[in-house]
């Protein structure tokens, strides 16, 4: 078994490095998001935008770095915007979303309650990137979140798992690799297609009644692959492929959540469908 152990560690490091490559270099500490503008608990939703928007970062992201572009974009449009950290591992600063995803959903549940209490709103809207677009579905389905959430918008969500361009398909060739990943970074293990977490999440249907779902994907995604696996099936689902809106959009898994204003325009449409406007390549300048 000793030779296998020598192989497992590099493989785990490779998976971790691949995941790290999907998030921006840390440009701010995640201990607290800005206290004015976004994460301003004195903000009161307006009649035009009556629900607070809660941003849910992806794997190895955090409440600040993941949203340096989208949070101001929504704030400038009159939304009360909030973001949380979840899935922290002891001794691992800044890079979050690595803990067991069902426990992360518990953290989201508590945070939604905190935001609703502060703002006085009856419901919130959730916008998540990658794991942050998938994990809230557990909250909606199993933790009573459907009564507190109007809409879930996922940017490149790994709703049916993340193969990382097929990299996870190598795991069976390395006995013990899956167990090692589960023991060290359970949040990564939960996102491997066929995991017990994903099997439970998707059993009985992708959606729950009363919530509006939007999935925004890019054909150039290299993490939540194949990109078609991101799409949901249900009676109140809007699945969007960015390249159908702008064939020139080359965003991949990271860019779609970090700075793609074409994707952001679709987020705004999903949050306020009554005032939606057509999304095109020109939306990059809106």
């Amino acid at each position: 078994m000793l030779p296998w152990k020598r192989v497992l560690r590099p493989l785990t490091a490779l998976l971790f490095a691949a995941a790290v490559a999907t998030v921006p270099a840390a440009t701010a500490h995640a201990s607290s998001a800005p206290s004015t503008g976004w994460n301003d608990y004195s903000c009161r939703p307006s009649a035009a935008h009556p629900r607070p928007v809660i941003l849910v970062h992806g794997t190895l992201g955090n409440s600040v770095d993941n949203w340096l572009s989208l949070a101001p974009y929504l704030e400038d449009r009159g939304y009360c915007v909030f973001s949380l950290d979840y899935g922290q591992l002891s001794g691992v600063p800044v890079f979050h979303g690595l803990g067991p995803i069902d426990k992360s959903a518990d953290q989201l549940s508590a945070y939604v309650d905190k935001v609703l209490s502060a703002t006085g709103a009856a419901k919130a809207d959730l916008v998540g990137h990658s794991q942050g677009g998938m994990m809230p579905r557990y909250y909606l389905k199993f933790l009573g979140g459907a009564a507190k959430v109007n809409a879930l918008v996922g940017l490149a969500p790994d709703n049916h798992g993340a193969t990382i361009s097929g990299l996870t398909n190598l795991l069976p060739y390395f006995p013990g690799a899956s167990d090692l990943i589960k023991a060290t970074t359970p949040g990564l293990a939960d996102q491997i297609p066929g995991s017990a977490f994903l099997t439970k999440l998707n059993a009985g249907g992708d959606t729950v009644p009363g919530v509006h779902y939007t999935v925004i994907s890019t054909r150039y995604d290299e993490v939540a692959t194949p990109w078609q696996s991101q799409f949901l099936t249900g009676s109140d689902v809007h699945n969007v492929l960015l390249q159908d809106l702008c064939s020139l959009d080359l965003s991949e898994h990271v860019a779609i959540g970090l700075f793609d204003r074409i994707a952001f325009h679709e987020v705004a449409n999903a949050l306020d469908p009554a005032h939606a406007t057509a999304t095109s390549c020109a939306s990059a300048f809106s």
Side-chain angles (χ1 to χ4, degrees):
M1 291 298 294
L2 183 57
W4 286 116
K5 291 181 180 179
R6 291 173 178 169
V7 173
L8 290 178
R9 292 189 182 279
L11 179 61
T12 302
L14 179 62
L15 286 168
F16 190 84
V20 169
T22 70
V23 298
T27 57
H29 292 295
S31 57
S32 63
S35 59
T36 58
W38 117 69
N39 273 11
D40 175 6
Y41 288 91
S42 67
C43 186
R44 295 295 177 266
S46 65
H49 300 303
R51 293 176 298 275
V53 177
I54 297 175
L55 304 177
V56 190
H57 66 74
T59 305
L60 293 167
N62 61 61
S63 62
V64 177
D65 298 339
N66 221 137
W67 308 120
L68 292 173
S69 295
L70 181 56
Y73 180 96
L74 294 175
E75 182 202 353
D76 288 347
R77 284 155 179 77
Y79 289 93
C80 291
V81 182
F82 301 86
S83 61
L84 78 155
D85 289 303
Y86 70 86
Q88 302 93 326
L89 291 182
S90 177
V92 181
V94 181
F95 298 109
H96 303 317
L98 296 171
I101 299 181
D102 58 346
K103 303 304 181 185
S104 294
D106 285 333
Q107 292 178 279
L108 175 61
S109 177
Y111 191 78
V112 171
D113 288 347
K114 177 182 178 180
V115 169
L116 293 181
S117 177
T119 60
K123 289 188 175 183
D125 289 324
L126 307 180
V127 178
H129 180 216
S130 192
Q131 180 189 163
M134 173 271 288
M135 176 271 282
R137 291 178 50 225
Y138 190 95
Y139 163 60
L140 299 176
K141 194 170 188 178
F142 299 111
L143 302 178
K148 302 174 183 179
V149 172
N150 169 71
L152 170 61
V153 184
L155 290 159
D158 55 339
N159 282 314
H160 299 94
T163 68
I164 316 179
S165 297
L167 186 60
T168 60
N169 296 330
L170 298 175
L171 290 173
Y173 296 99
F174 299 94
S178 295
D179 291 338
L180 180 60
I181 294 170
K182 185 174 182 179
T184 56
T185 53
L188 294 181
D190 284 343
Q191 294 177 77
I192 296 173
S195 70
F197 173 83
L198 287 172
T199 299
K200 177 180 179 180
L201 176 64
N202 292 314
D206 291 342
T207 64
V208 296
V211 179
H212 309 293
Y213 295 83
T214 299
V215 175
I216 304 170
S217 303
T218 170
R219 70 170 68 254
Y220 302 113
D221 201 302
E222 74 282 24
V223 176
T225 50
W227 62 264
Q228 295 91 335
S229 68
Q230 299 173 19
F231 284 175
L232 297 173
T233 300
S235 61
D236 195 350
V237 172
H238 182 46
N239 293 313
V240 180
L241 179 64
L242 278 182
Q243 285 72 34
D244 287 342
L245 306 175
C246 175
S247 61
L248 301 178
D249 194 320
L250 301 179
S251 289
E252 40 66 70
H253 189 78
V254 179
I256 193 175
L258 292 188
F259 52 76
D260 189 332
R261 291 177 70 92
I262 296 172
F264 293 177
H265 189 270
E266 273 299 286
V267 170
N269 281 346
L271 295 175
D272 189 7
H275 299 95
T277 58
T279 301
S280 67
C281 294
S283 300
F285 307 101
S286 63

